[in-house]
Amino acid sequence: MGKNAIVGQSGGPTSVINASLAGVFESCKSRGAEIVYGMCNGVAGLLEERVVDLSTVLTDDLDIELLKRTPSSFLGSCRYKLPDWHDDEAIYKKLFAILEKLNIGYFFYIGGNDSMDTIGKLAEYGNRIQSDIRFMGVPKTIDNDLMVTDHTPGYGSAAKYIGVVMKEIIRDATVYGTNYVTVVEIMGRNAGWLTAAASLAKSDDCEGVDMICLPEVPFNVEHFIEKVRVMQEKKPSIVIAVSEGVKLEDGRYVCELADDVHAVDAFGHKALTGTARYLANVVARNLDTKTRCIELSTLQRCAGHLTSRTDITEAYQVGGAAAKAAFEGVTGQMVALKRISNSPYQYITELHPISEVANLEKKVPLSWMNENHTQMTEEFLEYARPLIQAELTPLYIAGLPHHIYMKK
């Protein structure tokens, strides 16, 4: 009897993560997997033996097409930190016993940095006990902060959403002709790739945002206020894009200055929110201007109606490439995208050891910002524009997009 495969989704969802799930599922089935299981809520759910035979819920081509067009994680997700095996080997013994019970030969985890850490730990332990299970990482994160890959599936669609919304906000912000400062908070803890995407709004029909603030550049509140004051002498309505994770020179997040309560997840990550609100309030107190704050929040990652066809295609292909590699005997690796050219846009997939990815972060090069670190350069735009091209229209029923979801 042939071996089965299992796939899970972990971390924050994206609008195209399910395309990677479709890629893994279809490629595994075409390569002879008896059963392709889905972990319900990632490794956390697997530890509770909550799995589903995906063939029972993805029964035809229409289901696969709906899956590609459905945002968020079809299988559910988790933020579960797998300990090192020498700290808690019992968990590993339990996990591998469950995998043996399910006759698993191929294990796929779709996620970001922390998910790749999980794949690395499982592959290491599997090697230690001489398991024949192949563990493969499938990249996913709107943050675009994974090393070795040119970009990460999920980023292109989030960047497209941000570019579209910023154009619309700019149009709205300029209607009154009076002093007005709009601060838009965009996701990004330590890397500013998403906030940088706000620069895509500038075009022949849009003047673009007036200032971009990334976590890569130490933030000074007084300097920020002064920049706004100078800008408003020339233009009354200012629109600013700011990363939720902008930090002061001493390492504190700007949002912590607001004295809000910030929860911490299993990985020790503080929940970041309130940056735009704090900065809008500070500007209002110091300058003669009205202000408003806008938090794009989870809309950036779940706007399935504004996905990039390029992004969905690549998400599907990295899932298929991971399955191909696993069935050829590869383990402990992540699929990466390697760009060949910008014009025409071309790329290939390649494999990299998880050790080159896990617990590392790819930052926005400061060379892709102007000298004042307030705008992105043409080099960044040439990098980002191919990733937002084309659309995959949702299937609409009664005027609303139709999704597929796991019925309880």
Side-chain angles (χ1 to χ4, degrees), residues 181 183 211 213-214 217-230 240 242-243 246-258 274-287:
V181 176
V183 186
M211 192 192 313
C213 305
L214 306 187
V217 181
F219 193 89
N220 184 292
V221 176
E222 289 73 25
H223 292 171
F224 174 78
I225 296 169
E226 178 60 17
K227 286 178 182 177
V228 173
R229 186 191 67 76
V230 172
I240 299 166
V242 58
S243 290
V246 288
K247 303 181 190 70
L248 304 172
E249 289 189 5
D250 63 11
R252 284 179 298 160
Y253 291 108
V254 169
C255 63
E256 294 182 84
L257 299 177
T275 302
R277 182 173 65 253
Y278 173 78
L279 292 176
N281 289 339
V282 166
V283 169
R285 285 196 301 267
N286 286 273
L287 302 177

Side-chain angles (χ1 to χ4, degrees), residues 17 102 375 407:
I17 184 175
L102 296 172
Q375 295 288 348
K407 297 176 176 63

Side-chain angles (χ1 to χ4, degrees), residues 303-349:
H305 62 290
L306 268 179
T307 50
S308 151
R309 181 185 287 267
T310 297
D311 196 20
I312 288 180
T313 301
E314 292 179 345
Y316 182 83
Q317 289 175 341
V318 295
K324 177 180 182 293
F327 275 76
E328 291 175 352
V330 176
T331 190
Q333 307 248 332
M334 185 191 83
V335 178
L337 295 165
K338 181 178 180 180
R339 189 176 308 217
I340 303 301
S341 68
N342 281 331
S343 182
Y345 173 60
Q346 294 179 314
Y347 68 94
I348 60 172
T349 60

Side-chain angles (χ1 to χ4, degrees), residues 154-271:
Y155 174 66
S157 293
K160 186 183 186 80
Y161 176 84
I162 290 165
V164 169
V165 169
M166 293 308 299
K167 288 189 72 170
E168 295 169 342
I169 289 173
I170 290 166
R171 292 279 59 80
D172 182 87
T174 55
V175 297
Y176 295 113
T178 57
N179 281 4
Y180 214 128
V181 176
T182 302
V183 186
V184 183
E185 181 177 321
I186 298 173
M187 283 182 172
R189 177 176 300 276
N190 298 317
W193 294 101
L194 287 169
T195 307
S199 63
L200 292 165
K202 186 172 184 178
S203 55
D204 58 3
D205 65 337
C206 181
E207 56 271 50
V209 297
D210 299 285
M211 192 192 313
I212 291 174
C213 305
L214 306 187
E216 285 83 353
V217 181
F219 193 89
N220 184 292
V221 176
E222 289 73 25
H223 292 171
F224 174 78
I225 296 169
E226 178 60 17
K227 286 178 182 177
V228 173
R229 186 191 67 76
V230 172
M231 286 179 178
Q232 280 197 315
E233 289 178 351
K234 302 175 183 177
K235 180 184 174 189
S237 182
I238 303 298
V239 178
I240 299 166
V242 58
S243 290
E244 63 181 1
V246 288
K247 303 181 190 70
L248 304 172
E249 289 189 5
D250 63 11
R252 284 179 298 160
Y253 291 108
V254 169
C255 63
E256 294 182 84
L257 299 177
D259 293 327
D260 292 341
V261 175
H262 296 276
V264 177
D265 69 13
F267 293 90
H269 302 150
K270 283 185 179 179

Side-chain angles (χ1 to χ4, degrees), residues 107-123:
F107 184 109
F108 306 93
Y109 217 32
I110 308 169
N113 206 311
D114 296 324
S115 303
M116 296 307 111
D117 178 62
T118 295
I119 281 290
K121 289 174 177 176
L122 289 172

